[in-house]
Protein backbone atom coordinates (compact mmCIF):
# COMPACT_ATOMS: atom_id res chain seq x y z
CA UNK A 1 0.00 0.00 0.00
CA UNK A 2 1.23 3.48 -0.81
CA UNK A 3 1.19 5.74 2.24
CA UNK A 4 0.38 9.45 2.12
CA UNK A 5 4.08 10.22 2.61
CA UNK A 6 4.99 7.99 -0.33
CA UNK A 7 2.29 9.49 -2.56
CA UNK A 8 3.43 13.01 -1.70
CA UNK A 9 7.08 12.16 -2.48
CA UNK A 10 6.27 10.41 -5.75
CA UNK A 11 4.14 13.34 -6.95
CA UNK A 12 7.19 15.61 -6.51
CA UNK A 13 9.52 13.50 -8.66
CA UNK A 14 9.90 14.84 -12.22
CA UNK A 15 8.51 12.42 -14.78
CA UNK A 16 9.76 13.90 -18.05
CA UNK A 17 13.00 13.84 -20.00
CA UNK A 18 15.61 16.42 -19.00
CA UNK A 19 17.11 17.89 -22.16
CA UNK A 20 19.05 21.14 -22.42
CA UNK A 21 17.85 22.22 -18.99
CA UNK A 22 14.17 21.67 -19.77
CA UNK A 23 11.68 19.01 -18.74
CA UNK A 24 10.07 17.67 -21.90
CA UNK A 25 7.74 14.83 -22.89
CA UNK A 26 9.08 11.82 -24.78
CA UNK A 27 8.00 11.22 -28.37
CA UNK A 28 7.23 7.56 -27.63
CA UNK A 29 4.56 7.97 -24.96
CA UNK A 30 5.16 6.80 -21.41
CA UNK A 31 6.67 4.05 -19.25
CA UNK A 32 5.20 2.71 -16.00
CA UNK A 33 7.56 2.33 -13.04
CA UNK A 34 6.42 -0.30 -10.53
CA UNK A 35 7.11 -1.18 -6.90
CA UNK A 36 8.73 -4.66 -6.90
CA UNK A 37 7.27 -5.36 -3.45
CA UNK A 38 3.68 -4.99 -4.66
CA UNK A 39 3.77 -4.87 -8.46
CA UNK A 40 1.78 -1.62 -8.27
CA UNK A 41 2.62 1.33 -10.53
CA UNK A 42 4.46 4.10 -8.69
CA UNK A 43 4.80 6.71 -11.40
CA UNK A 44 4.42 7.07 -15.16
CA UNK A 45 7.41 8.65 -16.88
CA UNK A 46 8.38 9.79 -20.37
CA UNK A 47 9.51 7.35 -23.04
CA UNK A 48 12.19 8.87 -25.28
CA UNK A 49 12.42 8.19 -29.00
CA UNK A 50 15.74 7.94 -30.80
CA UNK A 51 15.23 11.56 -31.95
CA UNK A 52 14.81 12.63 -28.29
CA UNK A 53 18.16 10.97 -27.58
CA UNK A 54 19.79 12.87 -30.44
CA UNK A 55 18.42 16.15 -29.02
CA UNK A 56 20.08 15.30 -25.72
CA UNK A 57 23.38 14.78 -27.55
CA UNK A 58 22.85 18.08 -29.43
CA UNK A 59 22.59 19.80 -26.05
CA UNK A 60 25.55 17.99 -24.48
CA UNK A 61 27.79 18.67 -27.44
CA UNK A 62 26.86 22.35 -27.88
CA UNK A 63 27.82 23.20 -24.31
CA UNK A 64 30.87 20.91 -24.08
CA UNK A 65 33.49 23.61 -24.86
CA UNK A 66 31.95 26.11 -22.44
CA UNK A 67 31.70 23.54 -19.63
CA UNK A 68 35.31 22.47 -20.21
CA UNK A 69 36.38 26.13 -19.83
CA UNK A 70 34.30 26.61 -16.66
CA UNK A 71 36.84 26.94 -13.82
CA UNK A 72 37.48 23.67 -12.01
CA UNK A 73 36.62 25.39 -8.72
CA UNK A 74 33.17 26.26 -10.06
CA UNK A 75 32.60 22.70 -11.30
CA UNK A 76 33.76 21.37 -7.93
CA UNK A 77 31.50 23.74 -5.99
CA UNK A 78 28.44 22.59 -7.93
CA UNK A 79 29.25 19.01 -6.97
CA UNK A 80 29.83 20.00 -3.36
CA UNK A 81 26.52 21.90 -3.27
CA UNK A 82 24.81 18.82 -4.72
CA UNK A 83 26.34 16.74 -1.95
CA UNK A 84 24.97 19.16 0.67
CA UNK A 85 21.50 19.16 -0.90
CA UNK A 86 21.53 15.38 -1.00
CA UNK A 87 22.25 15.26 2.74
CA UNK A 88 19.24 17.53 3.34
CA UNK A 89 17.04 15.29 1.19
CA UNK A 90 18.58 11.99 2.33
CA UNK A 91 15.29 10.57 3.61
CA UNK A 92 13.47 11.36 0.35
CA UNK A 93 16.17 9.71 -1.74
CA UNK A 94 16.28 6.66 0.53
CA UNK A 95 12.53 6.18 0.40
CA UNK A 96 12.46 6.70 -3.36
CA UNK A 97 15.07 3.97 -3.88
CA UNK A 98 13.23 1.59 -1.58
CA UNK A 99 10.04 2.20 -3.50
CA UNK A 100 11.39 1.68 -6.99
CA UNK A 101 14.08 -0.92 -6.30
CA UNK A 102 12.88 -2.74 -3.17
CA UNK A 103 15.92 -2.64 -0.89
CA UNK A 104 15.18 -2.17 2.84
CA UNK A 105 15.15 1.45 3.95
CA UNK A 106 18.28 1.04 6.10
CA UNK A 107 20.20 -0.15 3.03
CA UNK A 108 18.76 2.67 0.93
CA UNK A 109 20.05 5.14 3.53
CA UNK A 110 23.44 3.45 3.20
CA UNK A 111 23.30 3.99 -0.54
CA UNK A 112 22.51 7.68 -0.09
CA UNK A 113 25.66 7.94 2.04
CA UNK A 114 27.78 5.91 -0.40
CA UNK A 115 26.35 7.46 -3.56
CA UNK A 116 26.61 10.98 -2.13
CA UNK A 117 30.31 10.49 -1.40
CA UNK A 118 31.06 10.49 -5.14
CA UNK A 119 29.66 14.03 -5.38
CA UNK A 120 31.88 15.17 -2.51
CA UNK A 121 34.97 13.19 -3.55
CA UNK A 122 34.95 14.35 -7.19
CA UNK A 123 34.01 17.88 -6.13
CA UNK A 124 37.36 17.78 -4.31
CA UNK A 125 39.18 16.08 -7.19
CA UNK A 126 38.05 18.67 -9.77
CA UNK A 127 40.77 21.10 -8.62
CA UNK A 128 43.50 18.43 -8.51
CA UNK A 129 43.77 17.58 -12.19
CA UNK A 130 47.51 18.04 -12.39
CA UNK A 131 50.03 17.49 -15.17
CA UNK A 132 53.83 17.70 -15.30
CA UNK A 133 56.64 19.72 -16.79
CA UNK A 134 60.11 18.32 -17.14
CA UNK A 135 63.28 18.30 -19.22
CA UNK A 136 63.58 15.58 -21.86
CA UNK A 137 66.23 12.95 -21.02
CA UNK A 138 68.55 14.40 -23.71
CA UNK A 139 68.24 17.87 -22.21
CA UNK A 140 67.25 19.35 -25.58
CA UNK A 141 63.52 19.77 -24.93
CA UNK A 142 60.92 20.68 -22.35
CA UNK A 143 58.03 18.27 -22.00
CA UNK A 144 54.57 19.31 -20.82
CA UNK A 145 51.87 16.79 -19.93
CA UNK A 146 48.34 18.11 -19.44
CA UNK A 147 44.88 16.59 -19.16
CA UNK A 148 41.69 17.76 -20.78
CA UNK A 149 38.12 16.47 -20.82
CA UNK A 150 37.30 13.62 -23.17
CA UNK A 151 34.10 15.31 -24.42
CA UNK A 152 30.41 14.39 -24.35
CA UNK A 153 29.79 11.10 -22.52
CA UNK A 154 26.96 8.59 -22.69
CA UNK A 155 26.40 7.09 -19.24
CA UNK A 156 24.28 3.93 -18.95
CA UNK A 157 23.36 2.62 -15.51
CA UNK A 158 21.67 -0.49 -14.05
CA UNK A 159 18.71 -0.78 -11.68
CA UNK A 160 20.38 -2.29 -8.63
CA UNK A 161 21.96 0.88 -7.15
CA UNK A 162 19.75 3.64 -8.57
CA UNK A 163 21.74 6.50 -6.99
CA UNK A 164 25.33 5.34 -6.57
CA UNK A 165 25.75 3.95 -10.09
CA UNK A 166 24.76 7.37 -11.46
CA UNK A 167 26.83 9.58 -9.14
CA UNK A 168 29.84 7.28 -9.68
CA UNK A 169 29.79 8.32 -13.36
CA UNK A 170 28.22 11.80 -13.38
CA UNK A 171 30.44 13.24 -10.64
CA UNK A 172 33.82 12.40 -12.24
CA UNK A 173 32.51 13.39 -15.68
CA UNK A 174 31.47 16.83 -14.40
CA UNK A 175 34.64 17.25 -12.36
CA UNK A 176 36.73 16.51 -15.45
CA UNK A 177 34.78 19.03 -17.56
CA UNK A 178 32.70 16.57 -19.60
CA UNK A 179 29.03 16.91 -20.48
CA UNK A 180 26.74 13.89 -20.31
CA UNK A 181 23.65 12.06 -21.41
CA UNK A 182 22.47 9.70 -18.66
CA UNK A 183 20.31 6.70 -19.47
CA UNK A 184 19.16 5.07 -16.23
CA UNK A 185 17.61 1.61 -16.14
CA UNK A 186 13.94 1.72 -17.11
CA UNK A 187 13.04 -0.24 -13.96
CA UNK A 188 14.46 2.41 -11.57
CA UNK A 189 14.65 5.82 -13.29
CA UNK A 190 13.01 7.95 -10.58
CA UNK A 191 16.14 8.40 -8.46
CA UNK A 192 18.09 9.69 -11.49
CA UNK A 193 15.32 12.15 -12.33
CA UNK A 194 15.34 13.42 -8.74
CA UNK A 195 19.13 13.65 -8.81
CA UNK A 196 19.30 15.76 -11.96
CA UNK A 197 16.71 18.14 -10.48
CA UNK A 198 19.03 18.45 -7.49
CA UNK A 199 22.06 19.11 -9.75
CA UNK A 200 20.08 21.86 -11.47
CA UNK A 201 19.27 23.39 -8.08
CA UNK A 202 22.97 23.26 -7.22
CA UNK A 203 23.70 25.47 -10.24
CA UNK A 204 24.44 23.05 -13.08
CA UNK A 205 24.01 24.95 -16.37
CA UNK A 206 21.45 23.71 -18.93
CA UNK A 207 22.64 21.00 -21.30
CA UNK A 208 25.59 19.82 -19.19
CA UNK A 209 23.70 16.75 -17.93
CA UNK A 210 20.71 15.40 -19.85
CA UNK A 211 18.54 12.45 -18.78
CA UNK A 212 16.80 10.13 -21.20
CA UNK A 213 14.43 7.35 -20.10
CA UNK A 214 13.43 4.95 -22.84
CA UNK A 215 12.26 1.51 -23.81
CA UNK A 216 14.11 1.86 -27.14
CA UNK A 217 17.41 1.31 -25.35
CA UNK A 218 19.26 -0.64 -28.03
CA UNK A 219 18.25 1.59 -30.97
CA UNK A 220 18.83 4.84 -29.10
CA UNK A 221 22.20 3.70 -27.77
CA UNK A 222 23.38 2.50 -31.16
CA UNK A 223 22.45 5.86 -32.72
CA UNK A 224 24.29 7.89 -30.06
CA UNK A 225 27.36 5.68 -30.13
CA UNK A 226 27.56 6.02 -33.93
CA UNK A 227 27.43 9.83 -33.70
CA UNK A 228 30.91 11.37 -34.12
CA UNK A 229 30.11 14.05 -31.51
CA UNK A 230 30.01 11.45 -28.73
CA UNK A 231 33.45 10.72 -27.27
CA UNK A 232 32.90 8.27 -24.45
CA UNK A 233 30.64 5.46 -23.26
CA UNK A 234 30.58 4.46 -19.60
CA UNK A 235 28.40 1.46 -18.88
CA UNK A 236 27.48 -0.47 -15.74
CA UNK A 237 25.47 -3.58 -16.33
CA UNK A 238 25.68 -7.14 -17.58
CA UNK A 239 28.66 -8.50 -19.50
CA UNK A 240 26.75 -9.44 -22.71
CA UNK A 241 25.40 -5.88 -23.09
CA UNK A 242 28.86 -4.47 -22.27
CA UNK A 243 30.44 -6.60 -25.00
CA UNK A 244 27.86 -5.37 -27.50
CA UNK A 245 28.54 -1.72 -26.54
CA UNK A 246 32.31 -2.28 -26.85
CA UNK A 247 31.82 -3.59 -30.39
CA UNK A 248 29.64 -0.61 -31.31
CA UNK A 249 32.14 1.80 -29.72
CA UNK A 250 34.98 0.38 -31.81
CA UNK A 251 33.69 1.96 -35.01
CA UNK A 252 34.29 5.48 -33.69
CA UNK A 253 37.23 4.42 -31.46
CA UNK A 254 35.41 5.72 -28.38
CA UNK A 255 36.86 5.80 -24.91
CA UNK A 256 34.95 3.20 -22.84
CA UNK A 257 34.58 2.26 -19.18
CA UNK A 258 32.85 -1.03 -18.48
CA UNK A 259 31.66 -2.10 -15.02
CA UNK A 260 30.24 -5.52 -15.77
CA UNK A 261 29.10 -8.70 -14.04
CA UNK A 262 30.79 -10.55 -11.22
CA UNK A 263 31.04 -14.02 -9.72
CA UNK A 264 32.87 -13.26 -6.49
CA UNK A 265 34.57 -16.04 -4.55
CA UNK A 266 34.25 -15.88 -0.75
CA UNK A 267 37.05 -18.02 0.68
CA UNK A 268 37.05 -19.09 4.33
CA UNK A 269 40.22 -20.75 5.62
CA UNK A 270 40.28 -23.06 8.62
CA UNK A 271 42.18 -20.45 10.65
CA UNK A 272 39.57 -17.69 10.04
CA UNK A 273 37.59 -16.01 12.80
CA UNK A 274 34.38 -17.86 11.93
CA UNK A 275 32.03 -15.30 13.50
CA UNK A 276 33.65 -12.54 11.45
CA UNK A 277 33.43 -14.73 8.34
CA UNK A 278 29.72 -15.37 8.94
CA UNK A 279 29.04 -11.66 9.47
CA UNK A 280 31.07 -10.85 6.34
CA UNK A 281 29.16 -13.48 4.37
CA UNK A 282 25.81 -12.01 5.36
CA UNK A 283 26.87 -8.56 4.14
CA UNK A 284 28.62 -9.83 1.02
CA UNK A 285 25.63 -11.95 0.02
CA UNK A 286 22.43 -10.36 1.26
CA UNK A 287 23.17 -6.66 0.78
CA UNK A 288 20.78 -5.51 -1.95
CA UNK A 289 18.99 -8.90 -1.71
CA UNK A 290 21.97 -10.50 -3.43
CA UNK A 291 21.58 -8.21 -6.44
CA UNK A 292 25.02 -6.63 -6.47
CA UNK A 293 27.89 -7.14 -8.90
CA UNK A 294 30.06 -7.45 -5.79
CA UNK A 295 27.78 -10.08 -4.21
CA UNK A 296 29.65 -13.15 -2.98
CA UNK A 297 28.55 -15.80 -5.45
CA UNK A 298 30.65 -18.85 -4.50
CA UNK A 299 31.42 -19.72 -0.88
CA UNK A 300 34.63 -21.73 -0.90
CA UNK A 301 35.08 -23.02 2.64
CA UNK A 302 37.72 -25.28 4.20
CA UNK A 303 36.29 -28.76 4.77
CA UNK A 304 37.12 -28.65 8.49
CA UNK A 305 34.88 -25.61 9.15
CA UNK A 306 32.28 -25.85 6.37
CA UNK A 307 29.59 -27.64 8.41
CA UNK A 308 29.90 -25.19 11.31
CA UNK A 309 29.95 -22.22 8.89
CA UNK A 310 26.72 -23.48 7.29
CA UNK A 311 24.98 -23.92 10.66
CA UNK A 312 25.91 -20.42 11.86
CA UNK A 313 24.85 -18.90 8.54
CA UNK A 314 21.53 -20.72 8.65
CA UNK A 315 20.86 -19.29 12.13
CA UNK A 316 21.40 -15.76 10.82
CA UNK A 317 19.32 -16.41 7.72
CA UNK A 318 16.46 -17.82 9.79
CA UNK A 319 16.43 -14.59 11.78
CA UNK A 320 15.93 -12.42 8.68
CA UNK A 321 12.62 -10.70 8.07
CA UNK A 322 11.40 -10.52 4.50
CA UNK A 323 8.96 -7.85 3.36
CA UNK A 324 8.43 -4.47 1.75
CA UNK A 325 11.55 -2.43 2.41
CA UNK A 326 9.58 0.45 3.89
CA UNK A 327 8.37 -1.66 6.82
CA UNK A 328 10.13 -1.60 10.19
CA UNK A 329 12.41 -4.54 10.90
CA UNK A 330 12.54 -5.79 7.29
CA UNK A 331 16.06 -7.00 6.47
CA UNK A 332 15.40 -8.58 3.10
CA UNK A 333 13.24 -7.05 0.36
CA UNK A 334 11.88 -8.34 -2.94
CA UNK A 335 13.88 -9.14 -6.06
CA UNK A 336 13.56 -6.62 -8.86
CA UNK A 337 10.93 -8.56 -10.85
CA UNK A 338 9.34 -11.97 -11.42
CA UNK A 339 11.97 -12.86 -14.03
CA UNK A 340 14.62 -12.55 -11.32
CA UNK A 341 12.57 -14.81 -9.02
CA UNK A 342 12.22 -17.44 -11.76
CA UNK A 343 15.96 -17.32 -12.47
CA UNK A 344 16.85 -17.73 -8.78
CA UNK A 345 14.41 -20.66 -8.49
CA UNK A 346 15.99 -22.29 -11.56
CA UNK A 347 19.47 -22.08 -10.03
CA UNK A 348 18.37 -23.49 -6.66
CA UNK A 349 16.27 -26.30 -8.14
CA UNK A 350 19.08 -27.22 -10.52
CA UNK A 351 21.64 -27.39 -7.72
CA UNK A 352 19.40 -29.58 -5.56
CA UNK A 353 18.69 -31.89 -8.52
CA UNK A 354 22.47 -32.26 -8.98
CA UNK A 355 23.04 -33.23 -5.33
CA UNK A 356 23.34 -29.99 -3.31
CA UNK A 357 21.71 -29.98 0.15
CA UNK A 358 19.13 -27.33 0.92
CA UNK A 359 19.75 -26.06 4.46
CA UNK A 360 17.33 -23.16 4.60
CA UNK A 361 14.99 -21.29 2.23
CA UNK A 362 14.77 -22.34 -1.40
CA UNK A 363 11.35 -21.08 -2.41
CA UNK A 364 9.69 -18.24 -4.24
CA UNK A 365 7.03 -16.59 -2.12
CA UNK A 366 3.53 -16.39 -3.53
CA UNK A 367 1.06 -13.59 -2.85
CA UNK A 368 2.14 -10.47 -4.71
CA UNK A 369 5.58 -8.92 -5.06
CA UNK A 370 8.75 -10.58 -6.37
CA UNK A 371 10.01 -12.37 -3.27
CA UNK A 372 12.43 -15.29 -2.91
CA UNK A 373 13.46 -16.70 0.46
CA UNK A 374 17.06 -16.21 1.60
CA UNK A 375 18.65 -19.57 0.93
CA UNK A 376 21.67 -21.62 2.00
CA UNK A 377 22.85 -24.63 -0.02
CA UNK A 378 25.69 -26.95 1.02
CA UNK A 379 27.55 -29.47 -1.13
CA UNK A 380 27.64 -27.21 -4.17
CA UNK A 381 30.15 -28.02 -6.94
CA UNK A 382 31.84 -25.75 -9.51
CA UNK A 383 29.94 -27.43 -12.34
CA UNK A 384 26.51 -26.41 -11.05
CA UNK A 385 24.91 -23.36 -12.68
CA UNK A 386 24.57 -21.76 -9.22
CA UNK A 387 28.40 -21.57 -9.16
CA UNK A 388 29.07 -20.88 -12.83
CA UNK A 389 26.50 -18.09 -13.30
CA UNK A 390 26.04 -14.74 -11.56
CA UNK A 391 23.11 -15.57 -9.21
CA UNK A 392 21.80 -12.05 -8.53
CA UNK A 393 19.55 -13.37 -5.77
CA UNK A 394 19.72 -14.25 -2.04
CA UNK A 395 21.39 -17.65 -2.39
CA UNK A 396 24.52 -18.93 -0.67
CA UNK A 397 26.12 -22.02 -2.21
CA UNK A 398 28.90 -23.65 -0.17
CA UNK A 399 31.73 -25.55 -1.87
CA UNK A 400 34.48 -27.29 0.14
CA UNK A 401 38.26 -27.34 -0.33
CA UNK A 402 41.18 -29.01 1.39
CA UNK A 403 44.37 -27.17 0.34
CA UNK A 404 45.30 -23.54 -0.27
CA UNK A 405 46.14 -24.35 -3.91
CA UNK A 406 42.70 -25.85 -4.40
CA UNK A 407 41.04 -22.77 -2.87
CA UNK A 408 42.90 -20.49 -5.30
CA UNK A 409 42.09 -22.72 -8.26
CA UNK A 410 38.38 -22.76 -7.34
CA UNK A 411 38.33 -19.00 -6.70
CA UNK A 412 39.82 -18.27 -10.13
CA UNK A 413 37.64 -20.80 -12.01
CA UNK A 414 35.44 -18.13 -13.60
CA UNK A 415 35.53 -15.77 -16.57
CA UNK A 416 34.73 -12.92 -14.16
CA UNK A 417 37.20 -11.01 -11.96
CA UNK A 418 35.51 -8.18 -10.08
CA UNK A 419 36.09 -8.83 -6.39
CA UNK A 420 37.21 -11.62 -4.08
CA UNK A 421 36.68 -12.04 -0.33
CA UNK A 422 39.13 -13.95 1.84
CA UNK A 423 38.84 -14.71 5.53
CA UNK A 424 42.01 -15.87 7.26
CA UNK A 425 43.91 -15.05 10.45
CA UNK A 426 47.24 -15.77 8.75
CA UNK A 427 48.70 -12.49 7.46
CA UNK A 428 51.11 -14.16 5.03
CA UNK A 429 48.34 -16.29 3.59
CA UNK A 430 46.28 -13.13 3.18
CA UNK A 431 49.16 -11.52 1.26
CA UNK A 432 49.41 -14.57 -0.99
CA UNK A 433 45.68 -14.41 -1.71
CA UNK A 434 45.92 -10.74 -2.71
CA UNK A 435 48.53 -11.76 -5.29
CA UNK A 436 46.93 -14.99 -6.48
CA UNK A 437 43.22 -14.25 -6.71
CA UNK A 438 42.56 -12.75 -10.09
CA UNK A 439 40.22 -9.83 -9.38
CA UNK A 440 40.26 -6.04 -9.52
CA UNK A 441 39.32 -5.76 -5.83
CA UNK A 442 39.71 -7.77 -2.66
CA UNK A 443 38.08 -7.80 0.77
CA UNK A 444 40.57 -9.26 3.24
CA UNK A 445 38.56 -10.21 6.33
CA UNK A 446 35.96 -7.73 5.05
CA UNK A 447 32.58 -8.42 3.43
CA UNK A 448 32.25 -5.07 1.62
CA UNK A 449 34.80 -3.01 -0.30
CA UNK A 450 32.90 -0.18 -2.01
CA UNK A 451 34.18 3.29 -1.14
CA UNK A 452 34.24 6.49 -3.21
CA UNK A 453 37.95 6.88 -2.38
CA UNK A 454 38.84 3.42 -3.73
CA UNK A 455 39.24 2.45 -7.40
CA UNK A 456 36.25 0.20 -8.13
CA UNK A 457 36.46 -2.15 -11.10
CA UNK A 458 37.26 -5.57 -12.42
CA UNK A 459 39.54 -7.65 -14.62
CA UNK A 460 38.69 -10.37 -17.16
CA UNK A 461 35.02 -10.20 -18.21
CA UNK A 462 34.13 -7.98 -15.24
CA UNK A 463 35.20 -4.92 -17.15
CA UNK A 464 37.61 -2.16 -18.08
CA UNK A 465 38.51 0.99 -16.18
CA UNK A 466 37.96 2.13 -12.60
CA UNK A 467 35.35 4.29 -10.90
CA UNK A 468 36.19 6.26 -7.75
CA UNK A 469 39.55 6.83 -6.12
CA UNK A 470 42.33 8.88 -7.72
CA UNK A 471 41.84 6.79 -10.85
CA UNK A 472 38.14 7.58 -11.44
CA UNK A 473 38.55 11.05 -12.92
CA UNK A 474 41.08 9.84 -15.49
CA UNK A 475 38.34 7.79 -17.17
CA UNK A 476 37.03 11.21 -18.30
CA UNK A 477 40.34 12.85 -19.18
CA UNK A 478 42.63 12.68 -22.20
CA UNK A 479 46.36 13.11 -21.83
CA UNK A 480 48.10 15.68 -24.01
CA UNK A 481 51.86 15.83 -24.33
CA UNK A 482 53.66 18.85 -25.78
CA UNK A 483 57.37 19.10 -26.65
CA UNK A 484 59.20 22.42 -26.92
CA UNK A 485 62.89 22.94 -27.64
CA UNK A 486 64.77 23.67 -24.45
CA UNK A 487 65.29 27.35 -23.72
CA UNK A 488 68.88 26.44 -22.77
CA UNK A 489 69.87 24.38 -25.83
P1 LIG B 1 21.65 -4.84 -18.04
O1 LIG B 1 22.92 -5.07 -18.78
O2 LIG B 1 20.45 -5.59 -18.46
O3 LIG B 1 21.23 -3.31 -18.10
C1 LIG B 1 22.09 -2.27 -17.69
C2 LIG B 1 21.72 -1.00 -18.44
O4 LIG B 1 21.98 -1.22 -19.83
C3 LIG B 1 20.26 -0.60 -18.33
O5 LIG B 1 20.18 0.81 -18.29
C4 LIG B 1 19.66 -1.14 -19.61
O6 LIG B 1 18.52 -0.43 -20.02
C5 LIG B 1 20.81 -0.90 -20.57
N1 LIG B 1 20.80 -1.75 -21.77
C6 LIG B 1 20.26 -2.97 -21.95
N2 LIG B 1 20.45 -3.39 -23.21
C7 LIG B 1 21.13 -2.43 -23.86
C8 LIG B 1 21.63 -2.27 -25.18
N3 LIG B 1 21.46 -3.20 -26.11
N4 LIG B 1 22.31 -1.13 -25.48
C9 LIG B 1 22.51 -0.18 -24.54
N5 LIG B 1 22.05 -0.26 -23.29
C10 LIG B 1 21.37 -1.37 -22.93
O7 LIG B 1 22.00 -5.08 -16.51
P2 LIG B 1 21.04 -4.95 -15.26
O8 LIG B 1 20.17 -6.16 -15.22
O9 LIG B 1 20.39 -3.61 -15.21
O10 LIG B 1 22.10 -4.98 -14.06
C11 LIG B 1 22.62 -6.14 -13.58
C12 LIG B 1 24.02 -6.39 -14.12
O11 LIG B 1 24.82 -5.24 -13.85
C13 LIG B 1 24.71 -7.53 -13.41
O12 LIG B 1 25.40 -8.32 -14.34
C14 LIG B 1 25.68 -6.82 -12.46
O13 LIG B 1 26.78 -7.58 -12.09
C15 LIG B 1 26.05 -5.63 -13.26
N6 LIG B 1 26.56 -4.58 -12.38
C16 LIG B 1 27.88 -4.32 -12.41
C17 LIG B 1 28.41 -3.36 -11.57
C18 LIG B 1 29.88 -3.05 -11.57
O14 LIG B 1 30.23 -2.00 -11.06
N7 LIG B 1 30.73 -3.91 -12.10
C19 LIG B 1 27.57 -2.64 -10.71
C20 LIG B 1 26.20 -2.93 -10.71
C21 LIG B 1 25.71 -3.91 -11.58
Amino acid sequence: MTSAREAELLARIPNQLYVNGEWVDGEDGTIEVADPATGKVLRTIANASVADGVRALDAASSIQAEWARTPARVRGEILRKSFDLLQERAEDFALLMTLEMGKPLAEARGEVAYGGEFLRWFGEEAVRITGRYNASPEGTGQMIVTHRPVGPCYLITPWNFPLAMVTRKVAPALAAGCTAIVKPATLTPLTTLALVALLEEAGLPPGVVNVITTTSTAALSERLIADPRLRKVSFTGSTPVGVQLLKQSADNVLRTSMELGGNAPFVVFADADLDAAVDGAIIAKFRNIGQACTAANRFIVHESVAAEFAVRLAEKVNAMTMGRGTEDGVTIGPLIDDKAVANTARLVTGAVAQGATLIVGGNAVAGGGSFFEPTVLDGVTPEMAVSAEEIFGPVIGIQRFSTEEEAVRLANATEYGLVGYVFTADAKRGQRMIELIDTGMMGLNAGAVSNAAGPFGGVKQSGLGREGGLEGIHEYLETKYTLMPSAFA
Side-chain angles (χ1 to χ4, degrees):
M1 229 190 27
T2 312
S3 70
R5 155 93 172 107
E6 292 166 16
E8 181 275 323
L9 170 64
L10 288 166
R12 275 194 278 128
I13 306 305
N15 66 347
Q16 291 171 293
L17 312 177
Y18 186 68
V19 178
N20 206 15
E22 287 180 4
W23 294 100
V24 293
D25 286 336
E27 283 185 344
D28 282 356
T30 54
I31 307 169
E32 289 183 339
V33 181
D35 178 344
T38 61
K40 302 253 165 60
V41 174
L42 293 168
R43 191 107 170 94
T44 300
I45 60 158
N47 192 4
S49 67
V50 173
D52 288 324
V54 173
R55 279 191 279 277
L57 179 56
D58 293 344
S61 86
S62 3
I63 195 149
Q64 173 58 58
E66 192 182 325
W67 180 245
R69 278 194 308 270
T70 301
R73 178 65 78 196
V74 174
R75 300 198 304 262
E77 289 293 334
I78 292 172
L79 287 169
R80 174 63 208 212
K81 175 93 171 98
S82 313
F83 169 79
D84 291 338
L85 287 172
L86 184 66
Q87 306 316 302
E88 285 170 21
R89 321 262 162 87
E91 278 303 301
D92 280 358
F93 273 86
L95 178 57
L96 192 57
M97 277 194 279
T98 293
L99 292 178
E100 66 175 341
M101 186 273 162
K103 67 184 76 191
L105 209 43
E107 286 191 30
R109 290 187 180 116
E111 185 174 345
V112 175
Y114 169 57
E117 276 306 324
F118 290 98
L119 300 170
R120 177 155 67 175
W121 175 263
F122 286 108
E124 293 160 348
E125 288 299 282
V127 293
R128 303 194 213 302
I129 302 169
T130 54
R132 47 182 212 267
Y133 177 79
N134 58 279
S136 67
E138 306 74 24
T140 53
Q142 296 293 335
M143 311 174 92
I144 304 175
V145 177
T146 54
H147 298 288
R148 51 187 195 161
V150 169
C153 302
Y154 183 35
L155 312 177
I156 308 174
T157 58
W159 50 264
N160 58 347
F161 292 97
L163 178 69
M165 296 303 97
V166 181
T167 54
R168 211 164 76 169
K169 296 185 191 303
V170 166
L174 295 182
C178 295
T179 61
I181 301 127
V182 185
K183 197 215 77 63
T186 317
L187 292 166
T188 58
L190 302 179
T191 305
T192 303
L193 293 167
L195 177 72
V196 78
L198 186 146
L199 290 171
E200 183 184 47
E201 204 180 323
L204 195 71
V208 176
V209 172
N210 305 274
V211 179
I212 286 295
T213 49
T214 184
T215 53
S216 308
T217 306
L220 192 152
S221 299
E222 202 176 350
R223 169 65 183 84
L224 294 192
I225 291 169
D227 193 306
R229 295 172 298 173
L230 191 78
R231 292 314 311 147
K232 157 113 197 173
V233 176
S234 178
F235 171 76
T236 299
S238 59
T239 298
V241 174
V243 168
Q244 192 181 330
L245 294 171
L246 279 170
K247 287 181 181 162
Q248 291 171 2
S249 300
D251 283 341
N252 277 345
V253 193
L254 292 187
R255 285 280 297 274
T256 55
S257 303
M258 293 284 149
E259 298 286 352
L260 308 179
N263 184 346
F266 188 105
V267 184
V268 182
F269 284 98
D271 58 30
D273 172 340
L274 213 55
D275 283 331
V278 169
D279 288 345
I282 296 288
I283 294 167
K285 178 78 251 182
F286 295 108
R287 191 169 68 111
N288 231 37
I289 316 121
Q291 304 166 115
C293 52
T294 49
N297 212 61
R298 293 168 298 140
F299 289 77
I300 299 164
V301 185
H302 191 264
E303 58 193 4
S304 66
V305 293
E308 180 60 20
F309 181 71
V311 167
R312 291 200 209 174
L313 267 181
E315 274 168 21
K316 297 253 178 195
V317 168
N318 274 322
M320 288 179 170
T321 306
M322 197 161 59
R324 189 166 187 247
T326 48
E327 285 158 25
D328 282 347
V330 164
T331 50
I332 191 135
L335 293 180
I336 189 66
D337 57 18
D338 290 346
K339 240 170 53 193
V341 174
N343 190 50
T344 309
R346 173 184 66 85
L347 294 173
V348 171
T349 314
V352 171
Q354 286 178 277
T357 312
L358 185 63
I359 298 190
V360 56
N363 298 300
V365 182
S370 305
F371 290 91
F372 194 94
E373 294 171 341
T375 299
V376 180
L377 293 166
D378 200 359
V380 163
T381 63
E383 295 72 35
M384 295 177 184
V386 77
S387 309
E389 296 178 21
E390 187 179 26
I391 303 170
F392 245 58
V395 179
I396 287 184
I398 299 174
Q399 310 177 27
R400 292 162 188 242
F401 73 90
S402 53
T403 65
E404 187 177 302
E405 292 68 33
E406 191 186 0
V408 171
R409 187 168 47 73
L410 286 169
N412 287 337
T414 169
E415 69 273 25
Y416 293 107
L418 189 61
V419 59
Y421 303 94
V422 171
F423 279 74
T424 176
D426 179 338
K428 285 199 170 169
R429 173 176 273 156
Q431 281 174 260
R432 286 195 296 277
M433 293 305 107
I434 295 171
E435 295 301 321
L436 295 174
I437 294 189
D438 210 1
T439 54
M441 300 177 288
M442 179 78 101
L444 188 54
N445 296 315
V449 297
S450 300
N451 189 303
F456 188 106
V459 299
K460 295 158 77 181
Q461 291 197 26
S462 287
L464 301 167
R466 294 294 180 267
E467 291 189 324
L470 300 178
E471 293 78 0
I473 201 163
H474 284 279
E475 299 287 317
Y476 297 90
L477 291 168
E478 299 283 11
T479 299
K480 182 154 194 176
Y481 150 63
T482 305
L483 182 76
M484 302 178 297
S486 168
F488 303 101

